[in-house]
């Protein structure tokens, strides 16, 4: 049995939570790389199938390494239960589909990670789910959209890549009045830094591929919520449709969790340093960072997020040509559409993550041709600042 972590700080829970040692008494978590489990008698097998969940029967259902990860993530989020998945997108899809059926309605913020938008805009309507998008920062739009009965609300805050903040308690109140379950993708805020469940949300989603692994090694996802929602709605769906997490990936993510608070703290600290250093620099139209004094929603950002996150967005003057020149000049930061890594990664959203959108849609979301998104890693802050400075000097 795992220890009771109710009284311990997250750092402690993320190192020891959910640990169940084998008979060999290993220090590190064991990797149970097995698809199936055996029984010492036919009676034992019969009993296992009669008492669902009492022991491991098949790794699509449950696996000890995966169980340890789920318990640790549950402690991190302060949720009643956690279900892990093979990627962040399978977490988003399963969290929503477990709630919805034909004839239902989902309301979402417009500024979503591309694949999340695809699920809500393209996939769900095919199965008879009506979807409506709102400007997440405009409470009047939420209120209008939620004036009809609605089953699910989906949002990300801060948004990608413009780092706009959505008022979680206000949206949750409107959503609950409409009968909706509020699902928050918390990746951009970073795990542990913003607690959507304490701010009125019902379900939290992570792409564990990002900060939880944090070292670019594997894919994974997590759904956190009430025991009733996870066990009765999500688990049957996952069990029978199969987006289960590999025990090997679960083990990598477990090791990621041990250092997560340290990494998040440092990455957010460096991101703030970079944002402050370049704020007001002539090369940029603006520098966007949730905890920067100049952020239009800085008060809300400080209220909802303990630290400002690991993403900084720059609106470079001179459009795509200058943006490409800047990216190509970087020596420490690397060009990649990924994020949340120990390596600092720079993206040009207009031609990569958001290239599927029309010019009008990008303009409406505030995504300019000169916009660059920086996912701040664990390199030395002064080296990163020096790198960005020398890239500006080439323009
Ligand atoms: C990466 C990401 C996802 C998707 O996660 P995968 O692990 O890539 O499937 C969803 N939402 C946000 C905000 C992300 O950054």
């Amino acid at each position: 049995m795992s220890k009771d972590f109710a009284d311990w700080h997250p750092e402690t829970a993320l190192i020891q939570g959910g640990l169940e040692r084998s008979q060999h008494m290993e220090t590190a978590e064991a990797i149970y790389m097995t698809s199936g489990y055996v029984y010492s008698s036919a009676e034992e097998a019969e009993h296992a199938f009669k008492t669902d969940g009492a022991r491991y029967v098949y790794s699509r259902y449950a696996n000890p390494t995966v169980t340890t990860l789920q318990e640790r993530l549950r402690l991190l989020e302060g949720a009643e239960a956690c279900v892990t998945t093979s990627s962040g997108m399978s977490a988003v899809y399963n969290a929503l589909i477990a709630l919805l059926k034909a004839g239902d309605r989902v309301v979402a913020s417009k500024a979503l990670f591309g694949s999340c938008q695809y699920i809500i805009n393209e996939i769900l309507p095919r199965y008879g789910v009506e979807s409506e998008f709102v400007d997440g920062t405009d409470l009047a739009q939420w209120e209008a959209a939620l004036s009809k009965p609605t089953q699910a609300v989906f949002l990300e805050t801060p948004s990608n890549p413009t780092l706009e903040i959505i008022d979680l308690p206000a949206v949750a109140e409107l959503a609950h009045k409409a009968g909706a379950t509020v699902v928050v993708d918390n990746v951009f805020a970073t795990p542990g830094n913003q607690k959507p469940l304490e701010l009125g949300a019902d379900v939290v989603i992570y792409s564990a591929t990002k900060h939880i692994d944090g070292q670019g090694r594997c894919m994974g996802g997590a759904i956190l919520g009430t025991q009733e929602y996870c066990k009765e709605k999500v688990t049957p769906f996952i069990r029978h449709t199969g987006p289960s997490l590999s025990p090997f990936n679960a083990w990598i993510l477990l090791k990621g969790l041990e250092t997560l608070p340290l990494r998040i703290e440092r990455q957010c600290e460096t991101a703030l340093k970079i944002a402050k250093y370049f704020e007001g620099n002539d090369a940029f139209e603006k520098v966007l960072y949730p905890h920067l004094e100049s952020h239009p929603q800085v008060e809300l950002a400080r209220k909802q997020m303990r630290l400002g996150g690991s993403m900084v967005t720059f609106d470079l003057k001179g459009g795509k040509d200058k943006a490409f020149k800047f990216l190509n000049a970087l020596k420490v930061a690397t060009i990649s559409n990924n994020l949340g890594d120990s390596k600092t990664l720079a993206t040009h959203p207009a031609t990569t993550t958001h290239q599927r959108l029309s010019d009008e849609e990008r303009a409406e979301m505030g995504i300019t041709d000169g916009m660059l998104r920086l996912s701040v890693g664990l390199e030395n802050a002064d080296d990163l600042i020096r790198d960005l400075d020398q890239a500006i000097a080439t323009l």
Side-chain angles (χ1 to χ4, degrees), residues 86-92 112-116 154 156 158 160 185-188 205-210 218-221 338-339 373:
S86 55
S87 70
M89 282 327 302
S90 58
V92 171
L112 293 181
F113 186 76
S115 297
C116 300
F154 184 82
E156 289 174 28
N160 173 25
D185 182 332
N186 207 34
V187 167
F188 269 61
I205 296 298
Y206 286 110
S207 163
T209 316
K210 311 296 165 54
C218 75
M219 312 287 299
N338 202 2
L339 64 104
R373 190 191 77 183

